[in-house]
Amino acid sequence: MNKKILIADDEKRMRILVSDFLSIEGYDMLEAADGKQAIDLFMKNPQIHLVILDVMMPLYNGWEVCQAIRKISEVPIIMLTAKNKEPDELNGFDSGADEYITKPFSPSIFVARVHALMKRTYGLQSESKEIIKGDLCIHLMQHRVTVSGDIIELSQTEYALLLYMIQNESQVLSRDQLLDHVWGYDYQGTDRTVDTHINRLRIKLRKSGSYIQTQRGYGYKFEVT
Amino acid sequence: MNKKILIADDEKRMRILVSDFLSIEGYDMLEAADGKQAIDLFMKNPQIHLVILDVMMPLYNGWEVCQAIRKISEVPIIMLTAKNKEPDELNGFDSGADEYITKPFSPSIFVARVHALMKRTYGLQSESKEIIKGDLCIHLMQHRVTVSGDIIELSQTEYALLLYMIQNESQVLSRDQLLDHVWGYDYQGTDRTVDTHINRLRIKLRKSGSYIQTQRGYGYKFEVT
DNA sequence: ATTTTGTGTGATATAGATGTAACATTAGTT
DNA sequence: AACTAATGTTACATCTATATCACACAAAAT
């Protein structure tokens, strides 16, 4: 379950920018174009893990939204402020925001601060929930796999298959087992389906593909050589 | 691979407390803050070995989550109940929980009960599922054989043959016996097939091959010299 | 609607496992 | 020592499991 983030900004470009970066990082984004929308969305989605508010917004400004949310929730809040506005900064902390970031900002720094706040608030989760096996790294939160740092695009099935095999590292898994756990218990598929997906995984994982070993007559197993 | 435990409790403090203690004990912890999250997490992680549910949770309460999980899994479930609630206890067993622990509880007792339930359910497992004979080691779970630590690749038949002989250590096994048990009762083959496979085994096992001894006129036996 | 992406299945190719037979060697017998 | 039967060893034809490819279809994105 990805963490949900609410981004409220009247500038569409900014919303899209922020949403794109954070989506890539594995968060589910909700967008609001003004203060009222922001509050409404927050009320309707109890499971929002982080709120990002632009100060300048129609209907209710960022501080007002912040205070409204604070009345009912301890959710971490990041304020986006324009440059060099001392009073705003103070004001931001007063109204209960956890951080403020001045525009313009670099996406990477922005993302890093979001991660950090997530981590501070919810524990490891946002980042470090990753499994490292040799050159292979599974970023669980983000559903992303890297090999020696290179991002590998995997489909749902491929990801699930890889994860299941890693979770059962060093154990030989029969095709039936894999079909049951990755495709579902009631799934009607042939063994060849598994083979094909194993093949695709191996190709996509490149050198790390060799971690998936064939156990002739039994099935496959994942093991770092 | 560590055993995975899902802890579901709406109180963050409680989640952290439990997670910390069990992490130290070597378990991998997954956390859910409400009933829905708990169910979602469980669905997404087929490899959860134990579930701990607080009774009082938003969205779905512990009993409901318990029943939902029970519909698809026999995973051991521990319920955390408030003190002195007889009906809850009964209810807990009805909904399929394996144990219930009343809050507040002492961490050490808690941990002990988790360990006990793990052991009861999964046995010793991670260790000791191997047979050691001299330099030879059969890792049953992994279907793997090692000689002095070196991995030996065996085919199905070879593995089955070796295992059968080891299971009947020091007994002379006729070729017919071996054909019956390793190849199957209805198998139509000549005695010489056994010889060939014995030969292959001896070669693959290298020095440990000498554990397979010929009993001229009778058959073969496995014995560590 | 069109393109792209994911998925499952079958066909074919390849590699590995198996059984048999031929030949070599050994152990036991005379 | 010579013979014989059992076993060891090797080679090879056959079979089987897996790898790989190609394609049809479905789902998703554009």
Side-chain angles (χ1 to χ4, degrees):
Chain A
M1 193 73 162
N2 289 341
K3 296 236 175 300
K4 285 201 184 63
I5 296 180
L6 170 63
I7 166 73
D9 197 317
D10 53 333
E11 284 178 87
K12 193 176 178 187
R13 270 190 58 252
M14 183 59 68
R15 286 205 307 278
I16 290 176
L17 178 75
V18 170
S19 284
D20 283 351
F21 273 103
L22 293 177
S23 297
I24 292 170
E25 293 298 316
Y27 297 106
D28 289 338
M29 302 304 297
L30 297 169
E31 298 182 23
D34 60 54
K36 186 167 186 323
Q37 258 186 45
I39 292 174
D40 288 346
L41 264 177
F42 188 80
M43 299 306 171
K44 284 188 188 167
N45 294 68
Q47 278 311 114
I48 287 176
H49 299 88
L50 177 73
V51 175
I52 300 170
L53 300 172
D54 186 29
V55 172
M56 294 273 293
M57 279 192 297
L59 300 180
Y60 302 107
N61 70 33
W63 310 121
E64 292 167 310
V65 175
C66 183
Q67 287 172 332
I69 289 177
R70 265 293 165 274
K71 281 183 186 160
I72 61 160
S73 168
E74 288 297 309
V75 67
I77 300 178
I78 292 177
M79 302 296 295
L80 301 180
T81 70
K83 219 174 175 180
N84 303 324
K85 301 261 181 170
E86 308 303 330
D88 273 351
E89 287 181 15
L90 287 175
N91 201 351
F93 282 109
D94 287 349
S95 51
D98 300 274
E99 294 226 22
Y100 62 96
I101 296 176
T102 55
K103 300 198 225 180
F105 47 77
S106 108
S108 62
I109 289 180
F110 182 80
V111 166
R113 291 183 74 171
V114 168
H115 274 320
L117 187 51
M118 280 291 191
K119 184 172 178 180
R120 174 146 41 95
T121 312
Y122 301 107
L124 297 176
Q125 267 167 344
S126 53
E127 309 156 51
S128 73
K129 283 272 182 183
E130 31 191 58
I131 301 172
I132 297 174
K133 301 288 171 192
D135 295 324
L136 196 63
C137 185
I138 319 293
H139 308 262
L140 291 176
M141 288 292 107
Q142 313 164 222
H143 265 253
R144 175 188 283 172
V145 174
T146 57
V147 172
S148 308
D150 299 336
I151 294 171
I152 305 295
E153 297 291 346
L154 295 184
S155 73
Q156 289 293 112
T157 318
E158 287 157 0
Y159 182 81
L161 176 59
L162 177 61
L163 204 56
Y164 183 69
M165 296 198 71
I166 288 179
Q167 284 167 339
N168 295 279
E169 191 177 1
S170 299
Q171 283 188 40
V172 179
L173 303 167
S174 71
R175 291 177 174 73
D176 279 347
Q177 247 175 308
L178 292 170
L179 282 171
D180 282 353
H181 285 91
V182 177
W183 279 262
Y185 284 89
D186 52 351
Y187 184 77
Q188 297 291 62
T190 79
D191 289 356
R192 302 296 96 220
T193 300
V194 178
D195 295 27
T196 301
H197 277 266
I198 289 282
N199 186 331
R200 288 172 181 150
L201 256 183
R202 282 176 170 156
I203 292 169
K204 286 194 180 179
L205 299 183
R206 306 181 60 86
K207 62 186 168 191
S208 296
S210 62
Y211 299 158
I212 299 174
Q213 293 170 24
T214 305
Q215 217 66 8
R216 180 167 272 256
Y218 296 102
Y220 301 94
K221 74 174 172 186
F222 182 94
E223 195 160 55
V224 177
T225 45
Chain B
M1 197 68 173
N2 290 339
K3 295 236 177 301
K4 287 203 184 60
I5 297 180
L6 170 63
I7 166 75
D9 196 316
D10 54 330
E11 284 178 270
K12 194 176 176 185
R13 272 191 55 252
M14 181 59 67
R15 286 204 307 277
I16 291 176
L17 178 76
V18 170
S19 285
D20 284 351
F21 272 103
L22 293 177
S23 297
I24 291 170
E25 294 298 316
Y27 297 106
D28 289 339
M29 303 303 297
L30 296 170
E31 298 183 21
D34 60 56
K36 185 166 185 325
Q37 259 188 43
I39 292 174
D40 287 344
L41 265 176
F42 187 80
M43 299 304 172
K44 284 191 184 166
N45 295 68
Q47 280 310 114
I48 287 176
H49 298 89
L50 176 73
V51 175
I52 302 170
L53 301 172
D54 184 29
V55 172
M56 293 272 294
M57 280 192 296
L59 300 181
Y60 301 107
N61 70 34
W63 309 122
E64 292 168 316
V65 175
C66 183
Q67 287 173 330
I69 290 178
R70 265 291 166 276
K71 280 183 186 160
I72 61 159
S73 168
E74 289 295 311
V75 67
I77 299 178
I78 293 177
M79 302 294 296
L80 302 180
T81 69
K83 221 175 176 178
N84 302 324
K85 302 259 182 171
E86 309 302 333
D88 273 351
E89 289 182 13
L90 288 175
N91 200 352
F93 283 108
D94 286 348
S95 51
D98 300 273
E99 294 224 25
Y100 63 95
I101 297 177
T102 54
K103 299 198 223 179
F105 47 77
S106 111
S108 61
I109 289 181
F110 182 80
V111 167
R113 291 184 74 170
V114 168
H115 275 320
L117 188 50
M118 280 290 191
K119 187 171 175 181
R120 170 145 45 94
T121 312
Y122 301 106
L124 294 173
Q125 228 174 11
S126 51
E127 313 136 56
S128 83
K129 285 272 184 179
E130 28 191 61
I131 301 172
I132 298 173
K133 300 289 172 190
D135 295 323
L136 196 64
C137 185
I138 319 292
H139 307 261
L140 294 174
M141 295 304 297
Q142 312 166 226
H143 266 260
R144 175 186 281 174
V145 174
T146 57
V147 173
S148 308
D150 298 336
I151 295 169
I152 306 295
E153 298 289 348
L154 295 184
S155 75
Q156 288 189 77
T157 321
E158 288 157 0
Y159 182 82
L161 176 59
L162 176 61
L163 205 56
Y164 182 70
M165 296 196 70
I166 287 178
Q167 283 166 342
N168 296 278
E169 193 178 359
S170 302
Q171 288 184 39
V172 180
L173 302 165
S174 72
R175 292 177 175 73
D176 279 347
Q177 248 176 307
L178 291 170
L179 281 173
D180 282 352
H181 284 92
V182 177
W183 278 261
Y185 285 89
D186 53 351
Y187 184 77
Q188 300 289 60
T190 79
D191 290 0
R192 306 315 313 281
T193 300
V194 178
D195 296 29
T196 303
H197 276 267
I198 289 283
N199 181 266
R200 287 172 181 149
L201 255 184
R202 282 175 171 158
I203 293 169
K204 286 194 179 178
L205 299 183
R206 306 181 61 87
K207 62 186 168 191
S208 296
S210 62
Y211 299 157
I212 300 173
Q213 294 168 24
T214 305
Q215 220 63 10
R216 196 181 179 83
Y218 297 98
Y220 301 95
K221 74 173 174 184
F222 182 94
E223 196 159 52
V224 177
T225 45

